[in-house]
Every structure is written in C-alpha cells, then in structure tokens.
Amino acid sequence: MSVSLGDILAHPVLAAADPVVHSPGAMAEHPVRWVHSSEVLDIAPLLRGGELLLCGGITLASATAEKRAAYVRELAQRGIAALAVETGGVLPEIPADMLEAAKEHGLAVVELRKVVPFVGVMQAINSILVSESVGHLQQADAATRAMAAELAHGASLDQILGVLAGIISSAVKLVSPWGVALGSAVPAGWQEKDDGGSGQDAQDGRGEAAGRTAITVDIPVRGVLMGRLEVDVPDGVDTGLARVAGDRAVDILGLALLQHMPPGLHAQAGAELMRAVLTAAPAWRLEQLAPGAGFPADTPAVVAAIHAASPQRLRRVIESFLSSSRIPSAAYLDDAELVVMIALPPADPAGGRRKLLASLEGVDGDHDAAIAVGPPAAGVAEAAWSLAEARRALDVRQIRRRNASPRRQHPSRGLVVIDAEDTAVESLALTGIEASARAAFVSRHLKALLDHDAQRQSQLLETLQVWLDSGCNTAQSARELHLERQSMHHRLQRIFELCGGDPRGTGRLAALHLAARMAVLP
C-alpha cells in the first residue's frame, strides 16, 4: 500500500515534533511520494507533486504576506502532499495569512511544534518510500512484460488492458483524445460506482468521488497524442501502484494503439513537420513536409512556444480552439515544451496575428501556462526563426520577473500570452550585441542611476523602465507602480538629474530607453 500522510506523521521521527494539521479537510490518507526540505520560497518549479515539504520557517518569518501567499499557492498548484512548518524561535506560529491561503487553495499545512532534525526525518521516511517505490516498480514491470507478451500474440486492446486491470485491481479504460472509448477492462469481482460516471475531474486526472480515485495518463505516439489511459482505483487499493503501472504502460499501450489504429497521414505529416521545425531543418525540407500537414509552403504563419504545468491538457484545449476556428495548425510536445505552428490569413497576416493573440488570451479553462507567440514568418521556411524568437520571449519574461520588485510580481497562476514582438529589443540585444558591449552601453547612460539604486536601495531603474514603456505617460506609470502622482513626479525629477536632464524631445530618449531595456539582461 502507498505510504500516507497520516502514516508519516505518526512515525516516531515526526511524532516527536508534536505535529498538528491546521488546514481543514486535509486528508490523512493522501499518499506521499517523497520528503524534501527547503527554505527557498521559489521551490515549487523544482517539485513534481506528492512531496511532504519540510520548512524551518526562517525565510517565512521575514517574507511579506504577499510572498507567503504566493508560496502556498504555487505549492498547491504543484500538487504537494503537505507543507510542514517548524514553529518557535523566529516564527512563533504559522501566520494567519498563510493558513487562510492554504484553506483557499486546498493545501494541507502541518505545524511542527517541537524541533526535530530534518535530515533524520528525510532519511527515515524516504528509506520507507524507496522500498515502497521498488516494490511498485517490480510489480509495474511485471505488468508491462505480461502486456507485451499479449501484444506479441496479437491480443486485442481489451485483453491487453485486462492484464493491467488484474495486477492493479482497478478498472482501466483507453480513450481517444476526443473521449471515444477504444478499449476497457475491469478486475475480477469489480463493482461499478453508484453514480456510473467519470466526470470532468476524472478527465483531468484529479477526481476523487464515491471512494474512488481517478488517474489519467496520456499516451503519445511519435509525438502525437493518440489516447488517454483512465484508471479508476477503488478505496483500499494501492493508488501508488496504479500510478506507477499506468506510467510504465505508456510505451506498450502506444505500440498497441499504433498496431490497432495507426495515426492518419495528416497527423504523421504534422508531427514530422514540427520535428523538422524543432531541429531547424533546411528550408527545402520544411517546404517539402508542409503541404501534407495542411500548410502550403508560402503560407504565413507563427510558431508559439508554450510552457505549462499540464502541457497535454492545454494542447487539447488549444487544438480544439484552433480546429473550431478552422485555423490550420500543427503541434508537437517536446519534453515539457509544447510547440504549435499556426497559419495566418495570407491577405492580412498582421491582422490575423493580432486576432490570434487576443483569442488565445480568452482560451477557456484555468491553466498555469505561458504562451509566447513568435513574429510572423513569411512561409514555413522561417518557422524555426519564429520559434526561436518565441522561446527568447519566454526567457525575457523570466528575467523580468526575477528583477521585478515584490509589488509588481504578478501571480504565476493562469494563462499568460506573450507577444514576442514586445521583446524585440531584448532579442536583438541578446543575439546581436555582445554582453560586454551591452554592459558598456548601459553604464554610459545609466551608471549614476544604477549606483544610486545600489547605494540607497531605491527603485529608480524600475520607475524609469515603466515610464519609458508607457510612452512617458506619468499618470499611467504611477498607477502601475502604485505610487501617488506627486511621488512619481519626485522620482522622475531625481531620474532626470542623474541622467542628464529630461530626455523628452531629445535624441537621448531612444538611447535611454534601449539602455533601460538592456539593463536587466545577463
């Protein structure tokens, strides 16, 4: 059986900390995949989900309420099992704002009221989890070997799925990306749920209802999403084994799908075209592959680079949106990056791109993702360039977020659409100007201002960037920086003194703006 949060909290190494679960509704039976310790508040992107995260509370004690709320939100989005915070000393108790955020986002928060060595906790608990994982892997590998044997003997999808269902004691179903049932199987003695339905939660792989846990595993074949494995795990059955076995069965089920329903020529051509774009293949190869994927060689297009917590889920949403709008497209999932090439109307590519950006911002669903849309390519031969610019826009966004002050930090949750043309200056600076030349240019124009910020912990550079990006609109800049207009005027006067006077109406304005944009680049 999986090791639950309740089991871990009851283990002597953690029971000695006198743990108290604060978050209402926290599930003691929630499985824990690993125990990790960190004081870093930006740890969420490095986690995979299912962790019990131990925190000594030192950084939380000095963090702002906004930073603590973002910390809780990002951990909840990552799907960790629980956050355990040690109280006492610099952090006498868990801040109320953290507990409120945890309640809002459904994160279990455990207060450790006595000091215990985190190293000892991790060694003791993780050794148990490793033993559990080894057992799961051995059983999962046995399942995949048996499924492979069935496949080799020409078994049907139902028969292959029957092997998996029997080993994990759960109902399994293989469906197409559009929800059409392709095969299913149940273990001996299976009893159907009273409600008889799987619901939206099951489709997202998060559902828990009527004593059942729903798990969803995507089945890609040659970069094309061919199906989804839906596992219905009853109460009392090892959910951890079901998850591991489902993940290990991906390759076998992909081969089975390929054997029973090979992808159409159009899907294969689209995947091959996108692989060529990703590898920056020669122009003649792209033009050769494009017609089979529905892209005449001279079709104007853009390429979007998408980073998401659930890329396959977002892929289904975007492909459905583009299909319903009758917009030719081709997509490919490369590790955690989703790349989509989207055709533009030949008569008005610029207008079509503007409409596309606006439409993507309104895509249905709550997605934790960033979509960077590259500049328009005159034809598919320029697709790799459009992709490179889109990726660079994502990099620039990360750089800007790292350098932004806390009050201008925007929540990462939700879908963010980035226009690569908005970062054209940074892209040119990164690709066409050496780092030493950039640093020298920035120093010539902004040295006094940068020195002032460094010495006085001021934020004049950020103020100048916002003001210049707004078209020198003082009122708009004050709103974005959450400043009174008088405070904004005082800051601008100080900036002008340090930068040689008011740049408006002079040739220095463009140079100052370029230096301000390059100042945050590495």
Side-chain angles (χ1 to χ4, degrees):
M1 298 294 291
S2 298
V3 182
S4 70
L5 177 59
D7 293 335
I8 290 176
L9 295 180
H11 191 284
V13 296
L14 263 178
D18 194 14
V20 174
V21 180
H22 280 273
S23 300
M27 299 191 320
E29 296 306 313
H30 198 80
V32 175
R33 187 184 60 81
W34 196 249
V35 180
H36 186 65
S37 169
S38 177
E39 294 296 311
V40 178
L41 298 187
D42 295 325
I43 189 68
L46 302 180
L47 303 177
R48 292 178 52 197
E51 294 91 351
L52 169 61
L53 181 63
L54 307 177
C55 177
I58 297 172
T59 52
L60 288 173
S62 58
T64 63
E66 292 78 9
K67 187 63 177 177
R68 288 194 295 259
Y71 175 63
V72 169
R73 181 182 63 249
E74 290 167 3
L75 291 178
Q77 290 171 1
R78 212 61 183 170
I80 72 167
L83 169 66
V85 181
E86 189 176 82
T87 55
V90 295
L91 189 71
E93 61 182 14
I94 299 178
D97 54 79
M98 273 190 67
L99 296 178
E100 185 64 30
K103 180 180 178 181
E104 178 184 351
H105 297 287
L107 176 66
V109 175
V110 180
E111 181 180 0
L112 305 179
R113 298 184 293 181
K114 295 181 180 178
V115 177
V116 292
F118 283 178
V119 171
V121 171
M122 290 187 291
Q123 287 177 340
I125 303 301
N126 286 338
S127 64
I128 298 173
L129 295 172
V130 167
S131 298
E132 185 80 11
S133 296
V134 169
H136 285 163
L137 287 172
Q138 290 173 339
Q139 291 178 274
D141 286 343
T144 54
R145 286 194 297 270
M147 293 168 70
E150 291 290 329
L151 178 63
H153 288 89
S156 66
L157 286 174
D158 287 348
Q159 291 170 320
I160 295 169
L161 291 169
V163 173
L164 179 62
I167 290 178
I168 64 176
S169 302
S170 303
V172 294
K173 181 166 64 173
L174 195 60
V175 300
S176 74
W178 303 276
V180 178
L182 305 174
S184 62
V186 297
W190 178 258
Q191 293 183 354
E192 293 293 339
K193 287 189 292 186
D194 293 338
D195 60 9
S198 58
Q200 180 61 41
D201 283 343
Q203 294 177 22
D204 296 339
R206 305 188 307 262
E208 292 193 19
R212 303 281 178 83
T213 299
I215 300 170
T216 300
V217 181
D218 289 316
I219 311 295
V221 177
R222 297 174 183 172
V224 179
L225 180 64
M226 289 289 290
R228 294 196 309 274
L229 175 66
E230 297 180 351
V231 185
D232 188 6
V233 187
D235 190 23
V237 170
D238 193 340
T239 304
L241 172 60
R243 292 183 190 279
V244 173
D247 289 337
R248 302 288 277 193
V250 165
D251 290 340
I252 295 298
L253 292 176
L255 290 173
L257 285 173
L258 197 60
Q259 185 179 93
H260 289 85
M261 45 172 297
L265 292 177
H266 180 84
Q268 291 186 53
E272 190 64 30
L273 172 62
M274 295 312 298
R275 278 195 290 267
V277 171
L278 286 165
T279 57
W284 64 266
R285 178 59 175 161
L286 296 171
E287 292 171 346
Q288 181 185 59
L289 294 169
F295 286 86
D298 58 351
T299 298
V302 293
V303 181
I306 303 170
H307 292 178
S310 302
Q312 283 285 22
R313 181 183 172 205
L314 184 57
R315 175 179 182 167
R316 294 194 293 270
V317 173
I318 290 178
E319 286 185 332
S320 176
F321 156 69
L322 294 172
S323 176
S324 64
S325 303
R326 297 185 178 180
I327 301 175
S329 65
Y332 193 86
L333 183 60
D334 182 35
D335 292 330
E337 180 184 51
L338 175 61
V339 179
V340 185
M341 184 159 70
I342 306 166
L344 298 174
D348 183 18
R353 185 175 180 277
R354 286 194 297 272
K355 291 180 181 177
L356 174 66
L357 285 164
S359 298
L360 287 175
E361 290 177 348
V363 166
D364 292 335
D366 183 14
H367 306 282
D368 181 9
I371 303 177
V373 179
V380 294
E382 296 181 351
W385 164 76
S386 182
L387 172 60
E389 293 296 304
R391 285 172 166 170
R392 201 166 289 117
L394 287 171
D395 292 340
V396 171
R397 174 178 180 263
Q398 286 297 103
I399 293 170
R400 287 176 173 174
R401 290 182 67 189
R402 284 198 301 268
N403 288 280
S405 62
R407 68 171 177 278
R408 296 189 67 225
Q409 290 278 4
H410 299 292
S412 58
R413 184 175 176 83
L415 187 146
V416 177
V417 179
I418 305 160
D419 185 350
E421 293 195 330
D422 288 343
T423 60
V425 169
E426 289 86 349
S427 178
L428 175 64
L430 288 169
T431 58
I433 306 176
E434 292 185 359
S436 58
R438 293 199 305 267
F441 186 87
V442 170
S443 180
R444 281 196 299 272
H445 292 276
L446 296 175
K447 185 178 186 306
L449 186 146
L450 295 173
D451 288 345
H452 185 281
D453 276 355
Q455 294 167 4
R456 306 194 183 187
Q457 299 297 307
S458 57
Q459 296 167 339
L460 296 185
L461 174 60
E462 179 187 50
T463 303
L464 176 61
Q465 291 168 336
V466 172
W467 182 68
L468 290 169
D469 287 345
S470 73
C472 305
N473 187 320
T474 303
Q476 178 182 327
S477 301
R479 286 193 298 272
E480 184 171 347
L481 291 166
H482 307 292
L483 294 173
E484 297 289 339
R485 291 192 63 177
Q486 192 62 32
S487 298
M488 184 69 192
H489 281 293
H490 283 315
R491 284 198 187 184
L492 285 176
Q493 288 303 315
R494 186 60 180 143
I495 289 170
F496 296 160
E497 292 171 5
L498 294 169
C499 295
D502 189 339
R504 288 173 290 192
T506 73
R508 293 186 299 106
L509 184 65
L512 200 61
H513 200 174
L514 178 59
R517 295 284 285 268
M518 292 197 302
V520 298
L521 298 180

